[in-house]
Amino acid sequence: MIQPDQLRTLFTESTITRSMQTVTCHYIHAFRLIVCLGLRSGELCGLKVTDYDGTTLTINRAINRVRQITPGKTVNAHRSIVLPQRAKTILAEQEAMLKRQGIRSQWLFPDTDGNCTNPNNFYRRWHSYATQHGITSSIHELRHTFISMTNKD
């Protein structure tokens, strides 16, 4: 599970250093949404724009490490989530970032070329972000953070 100070960093620090330049982390909103909703990374990579109606996010596919579209990890993988305001804000910020970058895509969290995110690239980007910001949790532990916070409530 991500520690409270590291969680604060995740929700306040949006940049990374690449090629000696400070740039916005392309997947920052994806990382934040995993914490807010407890999504698996493959589910997040498989989200399409049509899966979000402004209120509800429908999970009905995942992308595996070899970039195959699958129905998800378990029978319970297909679900609809009524989004809390924080998640809606993250999705609005994601849409604005893609628009600024000139990326048009059917995917909610596309790769920088607009295509479906390669989960391997997604993991590498998390590792880079986490390392630069002193976060010791894995991408999978972001999901566990959501589960732990939910169980406390």
Side-chain angles (χ1 to χ4, degrees), residues 1 7 35-36 144-153:
M1 187 169 97
L7 188 59
V35 172
C36 282
H144 289 282
T145 299
F146 166 80
I147 293 166
S148 293
M149 291 187 316
T150 302
N151 287 338
K152 286 181 182 178
D153 289 342

Side-chain angles (χ1 to χ4, degrees), residues 23 33 70 80 85 115:
V23 297
L33 195 68
T70 70
S80 292
Q85 186 55 49
N115 290 320

